[in-house]
Amino acid sequence: MKKIIALLAATLTLHLSGCATTTNSSASGVTRSQFLLMPASQVDQMSAQAYSETLQKAKQKSTLNVNKAMYNRVNRISQRLIAQVGVFREDAKKWNWEVNVEKNDQLNAYCMPGGKIMVYSGLVEKIKATDDELAAVIGHEIAHALREHGRERMSQAYVQQFGLQALAAFVGKGAGAAMTMKGASLGSQLFFALPNGREQERESDRIGLELAARAGYNPDAAVTLWQKMSAGSKGAPPEFLSTHPASANRIADLKALAPQVRPLYEKAKRK
Ligand SMILES: [Zn+2]
């Protein structure tokens, strides 16, 4: 028993110390230490599988990238943002990034762990988003992936649900061998079922704003985006806003941060 506990402690220490924080400190000022027990390789594998299942379903329903002009626009903006991710973490430049647009009336977008971006057509059409506003929302979603918030949520949920011992067993099997179908669907369930916490949202707002500014998108658009989102959600509350409340606080924070990243935006525009 003592041996098991020692092994468990060693495993946890290894993973805790190996992943204190996922991103470089930058103008965004995000430096929080994170709880990341699940191996990134497993989380990315789960995410890639869940994403490809989503694409397959969308293809079957003929809702995947049906509007070519919209897809090209979303992809162009996303690629400009992705070109800047190295500022926050070098390894993200080599991620297997994917960008897709699904025909869906909801105001929604997400970026799964490892860089799997999905934008719903409703988000583009309903609020008549400008390029700067789309960059603000996609930048925010990319920031969740860069900060590995999904992995953080999965680590927390796994520990709460199954205890540390089960997690250690899961981790101990190593990436690949432990990847069962059950694991994959559990991962995607955890990703979609667990909302980001307030602090995670704040981090993504800050990093997303800086990412967009560095890509040459006007940081003021983050404010108009959230204003349009909350106005556009009157009546039927869309999924995105239930996890991303466009509170007065959030808008005030973005307004306060915009001048700090404005020089990055001006510099990017001059290039
Ligand atoms: Zn968010």
Side-chain angles (χ1 to χ4, degrees):
M1 190 61 196
K2 260 190 188 155
K3 218 175 178 180
I4 294 173
I5 291 169
L7 192 70
L8 185 71
T11 310
L12 297 183
T13 313
L14 187 75
H15 284 275
L16 276 175
S17 63
C19 316
T21 184
T22 48
T23 48
N24 304 326
S25 64
S26 62
S28 67
V30 174
T31 54
R32 180 178 61 90
S33 289
Q34 297 177 272
F35 179 71
L36 295 162
L37 290 175
M38 290 184 79
S41 56
Q42 281 180 345
V43 173
D44 288 351
Q45 223 171 326
M46 287 173 182
S47 147
Q49 187 168 343
Y51 189 75
S52 88
E53 280 166 17
T54 302
L55 296 185
Q56 235 163 8
K57 272 185 211 150
K59 248 183 228 164
Q60 280 163 9
K61 289 189 289 178
S62 302
T63 55
L64 187 67
N65 301 326
V66 280
N67 181 335
K68 286 290 166 236
M70 188 189 290
Y71 166 76
N72 288 338
R73 185 176 167 220
V74 166
N75 187 48
R76 175 172 45 80
I77 295 167
S78 300
Q79 296 305 332
R80 266 173 65 177
L81 294 166
I82 292 165
Q84 299 299 321
V85 297
V87 172
F88 300 94
R89 49 186 297 172
E90 189 65 24
D91 68 323
K93 291 198 288 194
K94 295 204 185 81
W95 284 2
N96 196 3
W97 290 90
E98 287 185 66
V99 181
N100 285 283
V101 176
E102 189 171 344
K103 187 174 151 54
N104 187 312
D105 284 343
Q106 285 181 357
L107 298 180
N108 207 1
Y110 57 85
C111 179
M112 294 188 75
K116 310 295 185 196
I117 298 171
M118 180 65 83
V119 174
Y120 285 1
S121 57
L123 177 70
V124 183
E125 285 168 337
K126 275 196 184 163
I127 64 165
K128 297 190 169 50
T130 64
D131 281 10
D132 293 309
E133 287 163 351
L134 279 179
V137 68
I138 299 168
H140 172 97
E141 293 307 317
I142 288 176
H144 277 308
L146 295 177
R147 284 292 285 165
E148 297 190 61
H149 288 152
R151 182 170 158 222
E152 203 175 3
R153 275 145 55 209
M154 286 183 206
S155 298
Q156 287 160 348
Y158 209 95
V159 167
Q160 276 162 13
Q161 205 170 349
F162 304 109
L164 283 172
Q165 217 152 344
L167 179 75
F170 185 73
V171 169
K173 281 179 190 164
M179 262 306 298
T180 59
M181 280 301 288
K182 209 175 150 207
S185 71
L186 177 71
S188 61
Q189 274 168 28
L190 291 176
F191 177 77
F192 286 110
L194 304 167
N196 284 298
R198 198 177 300 172
E199 188 54 30
Q200 292 175 326
E201 287 304 330
R202 219 177 66 90
E203 289 177 355
S204 288
D205 279 347
R206 298 183 76 89
I207 289 179
L209 196 72
E210 181 179 342
L211 192 64
R214 286 183 183 276
Y217 291 105
N218 191 337
D220 293 337
V223 172
T224 55
L225 167 84
W226 291 108
Q227 286 167 340
K228 278 183 173 181
M229 289 287 268
S230 66
S233 71
K234 297 250 160 67
E239 203 162 292
F240 190 78
L241 277 182
S242 66
T243 54
H244 291 82
S247 65
N249 266 351
R250 169 168 234 158
I251 289 170
D253 280 353
L254 288 166
K255 266 188 189 157
L257 189 63
Q260 287 177 48
V261 298
R262 180 162 295 282
L264 296 170
Y265 163 59
E266 301 291 349
K267 198 176 150 198
K269 257 200 331 184
R270 281 199 299 273
K271 271 183 194 164

